[in-house]
């Protein structure tokens, strides 16, 4: 989920913790637990700092080891040990418990969007991504805000937040069922589909659709159960030639391939070099596919510059490539 949603989730957990007599009986304990749940709700995303380094490292590592099973123990122990020095009234065991819940909830909810996490690492480095909850979901965020506001206005924490979590549990089930219904509709429309990716959007009734068959890729949208296929691409295997082999040595392209599940490619020979472009077909926006990886090679097929990330105009792409190629 996005940062804002993780923040309100942390606040909600901190508020729910006040049903515990130890927490309710001390303002210092309450502040300590609230601090713990807010930090615990954010800490797995500390790898976002990799964006400051480059997109390749960010794409390869975001929601990787920081969201893995060992971190369910490491993050709570680290956070609780530090906070106990400042909030001893909270007791170490209470800090540990509520931080564990906050960290676990963060990792758990992240598996439901299209990006997913490596939540089962180190047993497997597979990305777990169900795709039926958007990274930012208005209902999830808004329901938390309403519950927190009600609590601040005097509503009892226990009934308020238990009701919130029951409502959200039904919401998750409803989103899952809707995704399954859309997938079934796509299978009826494209019977020879091998893989179907149905991902939620910020709009409640709209879903992104990407379908792989033996010979083609299909890209479209679903509105409720109505499927619209916008484009159909030939599914061409990536050639094993010298140009592609040289381009694959680039870390930006390697990161893209490790992340993207459905993509096409092209090789363009221009006056200033050869451009190898890979385009992710899952993120169509206004007729454009903004998530790409581009490698520029010189006449000797040496890497001149490269970029992976979100690009919404050719001019912006050239600006991303130009500083490295000077």
């Amino acid at each position: 989920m996005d940062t804002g949603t993780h923040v309100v989730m942390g606040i909600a957990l901190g508020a729910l913790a006040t049903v515990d007599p130890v927490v309710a009986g001390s303002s210092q304990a309450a502040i300590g637990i609230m601090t713990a749940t807010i930090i615990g709700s954010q800490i797995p995303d500390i790898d976002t700092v990799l964006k400051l380094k480059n997109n390749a490292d960010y794409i390869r590592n975001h929601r990787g080891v920081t969201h893995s099973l060992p971190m369910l123990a490491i993050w709570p122990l680290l956070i609780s040990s530090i906070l106990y020095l400042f909030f001893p009234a909270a007791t170490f065991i209470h800090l540990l418990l509520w931080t564990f819940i906050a960290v676990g909830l963060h990792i758990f909810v992240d598996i439901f969007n299209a990006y997913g996490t490596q939540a089962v690492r180190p047993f497997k480095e597979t990305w777990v991504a169900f795709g039926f909850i958007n990274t930012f979901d208005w209902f999830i965020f808004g329901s938390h805000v309403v519950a927190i506001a009600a609590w601040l206005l005097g509503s009892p924490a226990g009934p308020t937040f238990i009701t919130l979590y029951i409502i959200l549990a039904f919401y998750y089930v409803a989103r899952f069922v809707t995704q399954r219904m859309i997938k079934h509709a796509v299978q009826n429309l494209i019977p020879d589909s091998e893989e179907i990716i149905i991902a939620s959007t910020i709009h409640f009734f709209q879903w992104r659709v990407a379908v792989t068959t033996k010979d083609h890729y299909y890209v479209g949208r679903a509105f409720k159960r109505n499927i619209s296929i916008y484009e159909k691409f030939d599914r061409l295997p990536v050639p094993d030639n010298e140009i592609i082999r040289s381009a694959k040595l680039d870390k930006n392209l390697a990161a893209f391939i490790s992340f993207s599940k459905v993509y096409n490619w092209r090789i363009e020979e221009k006056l200033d070099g050869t451009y190898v472009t890979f385009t992710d077909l899952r993120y169509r926006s206004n007729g454009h596919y903004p998530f790409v990886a581009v490698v520029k090679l010189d006449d000797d097929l040496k890497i001149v510059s490269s970029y992976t990330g979100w690009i919404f105009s050719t001019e912006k792409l050239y600006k991303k490539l130009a500083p490295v190629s000077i």
Side-chain angles (χ1 to χ4, degrees), residues 65-79:
V65 65
T66 61
H67 288 64
S68 63
L69 287 174
M71 301 311 291
L72 279 172
I74 294 172
W75 288 134
L77 284 169
L78 178 63
I79 294 169

Side-chain angles (χ1 to χ4, degrees), residues 102-134:
V103 172
L105 185 62
H106 178 124
I107 294 172
F108 178 70
V109 299
D110 276 358
I111 70 175
F112 294 105
N113 59 52
Y115 197 106
T117 75
Q118 289 183 311
V120 293
R121 190 172 176 173
F123 299 106
K124 290 184 179 180
E125 294 192 4
T126 306
W127 289 88
V128 183
F130 296 124
F132 58 82
I133 298 293
N134 197 48

Side-chain angles (χ1 to χ4, degrees), residues 43-98:
I43 198 67
D45 281 344
I46 195 171
D47 55 9
T48 302
V49 299
L50 289 171
K51 270 190 173 182
L52 300 175
K53 185 179 180 183
N54 56 63
N55 281 350
D57 287 325
Y58 175 75
I59 291 170
R60 273 191 175 277
N61 296 291
H62 181 51
R63 295 192 182 179
V65 65
T66 61
H67 288 64
S68 63
L69 287 174
M71 301 311 291
L72 279 172
I74 294 172
W75 288 134
L77 284 169
L78 178 63
I79 294 169
S80 301
S81 297
I82 295 173
L83 290 182
Y84 183 63
L85 299 175
F86 300 94
F87 304 101
T91 77
F92 181 79
I93 192 64
H94 282 81
L95 286 167
L96 186 65
L97 171 65
W98 287 100

Side-chain angles (χ1 to χ4, degrees), residues 74-244:
I74 294 172
W75 288 134
L77 284 169
L78 178 63
I79 294 169
S80 301
S81 297
I82 295 173
L83 290 182
Y84 183 63
L85 299 175
F86 300 94
F87 304 101
T91 77
F92 181 79
I93 192 64
H94 282 81
L95 286 167
L96 186 65
L97 171 65
W98 287 100
T99 307
F100 172 79
I101 294 172
V103 172
L105 185 62
H106 178 124
I107 294 172
F108 178 70
V109 299
D110 276 358
I111 70 175
F112 294 105
N113 59 52
Y115 197 106
T117 75
Q118 289 183 311
V120 293
R121 190 172 176 173
F123 299 106
K124 290 184 179 180
E125 294 192 4
T126 306
W127 289 88
V128 183
F130 296 124
F132 58 82
I133 298 293
N134 197 48
T135 303
F136 176 77
D137 186 294
W138 286 102
F139 183 81
I140 295 173
F141 179 81
S143 60
H144 274 84
V145 171
V146 170
I148 292 167
W151 171 65
L152 291 174
L153 291 172
S155 179
T160 299
F161 292 103
I162 289 174
T163 300
L164 168 67
Y165 296 136
I166 291 173
I167 291 172
L168 288 177
F170 279 107
Y171 178 73
Y172 272 70
V173 171
R175 295 295 285 174
F176 171 74
V177 171
T178 301
Q179 185 193 50
R180 298 297 296 178
M181 291 170 62
I182 294 171
K183 185 174 183 179
H184 182 69
V186 172
Q187 287 173 329
N188 289 335
L189 183 65
I190 308 174
D192 60 338
S193 57
E194 295 180 353
E195 183 177 11
I196 300 173
I197 298 174
I198 310 293
S200 61
T201 70
I202 197 170
H203 304 290
F204 184 81
F205 292 111
Q206 292 186 18
W207 300 73
R208 292 190 298 269
V209 176
V211 182
T212 302
T213 68
K214 180 181 178 181
D215 300 312
H216 299 96
Y217 293 123
Y218 296 84
V219 179
R221 285 274 175 136
F223 181 77
K224 297 183 179 179
R225 293 186 63 183
N226 299 315
I227 313 299
S228 298
I229 300 299
Y230 295 146
E231 293 186 83
K232 176 182 177 181
F233 300 92
D234 291 332
R235 185 182 178 185
L236 302 175
V238 179
D240 184 19
N241 58 35
E242 193 174 357
I243 293 175
I244 293 296

Side-chain angles (χ1 to χ4, degrees), residues 54-56 59 250-253 256 276-278 290-296 303 305-312 316-321 324:
N54 56 63
N55 281 350
I59 291 170
D250 179 76
K251 66 179 181 179
N252 279 307
L253 181 55
F256 175 94
V276 178
T277 303
F278 280 59
F291 189 68
V292 301
V294 182
V295 181
K296 180 181 178 181
I303 297 170
S305 59
S306 66
Y307 177 79
T308 187
W310 300 90
I311 292 291
F312 291 91
K316 182 179 178 181
L317 176 60
Y318 285 142
K319 286 180 180 178
K320 292 288 185 181
L321 295 172
V324 183

